[in-house]
């Protein structure tokens, strides 16, 4: 279902981030969760199918926004946005 798709989308992003930053898988999962507006990876709670679909839409919107800001490396832009939020 949509919940598994959402989780897999986040895991794919984490794998890319792990390679890009040479960090642990656990760190990458937490950062990706936080860029998707969760406190951390373990905080992800999907209520039902409709909630999962809304989460996928939100994640796709975040990715599109990142592509508009940095077409060459949208993941880097998302990471920098996350970093800025950590300092404020």
């Amino acid at each position: 279902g949509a919940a598994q798709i959402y989780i897999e989308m986040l895991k794919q992003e984490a794998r890319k981030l792990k390679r890009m930053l040479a960090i642990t898988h656990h760190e990458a999962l937490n950062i990706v969760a936080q860029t998707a507006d969760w406190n951390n990876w373990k905080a992800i709670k999907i209520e039902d199918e409709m909630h999962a679909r809304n989460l996928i839409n939100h994640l796709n919107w975040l990715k599109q926004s990142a592509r508009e800001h940095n077409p060459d490396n949208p993941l880097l832009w998302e990471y920098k946005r996350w970093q800025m939020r950590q300092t404020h």
Side-chain angles (χ1 to χ4, degrees):
Q4 290 84 7
I5 292 169
Y6 177 71
I7 295 297
E8 188 55 37
M9 290 171 74
L10 292 176
K11 285 181 178 179
Q12 287 175 9
E13 290 290 303
R15 283 190 285 276
K16 292 176 194 171
L17 189 65
K18 177 185 170 188
R19 286 190 299 270
M20 186 176 80
L21 300 176
I23 59 176
T24 69
H25 184 67
H26 179 76
E27 289 173 308
L29 287 171
N30 279 328
I31 292 170
V32 165
Q34 290 170 1
T35 63
D37 299 325
W38 297 98
N39 288 332
N40 57 55
W41 183 257
K42 292 189 182 259
I44 297 174
K45 300 275 190 270
I46 301 173
E47 305 298 327
D48 55 33
E49 190 73 8
M50 183 59 73
H51 183 221
R53 289 171 191 240
N54 289 336
L55 292 171
I56 290 170
N57 288 338
H58 178 69
L59 190 59
N60 284 333
W61 178 83
L62 289 173
K63 286 181 171 191
Q64 179 60 35
S65 179
R67 281 191 295 273
E68 289 171 5
H69 285 86
N70 188 343
D72 296 328
N73 193 342
L75 186 58
L76 180 61
W77 184 84
E78 287 184 72
Y79 174 70
K80 288 182 177 181
R81 184 176 72 86
W82 170 81
Q83 274 186 317
M84 287 177 50
R85 287 175 32 199
Q86 299 307 300
T87 60
H88 292 95

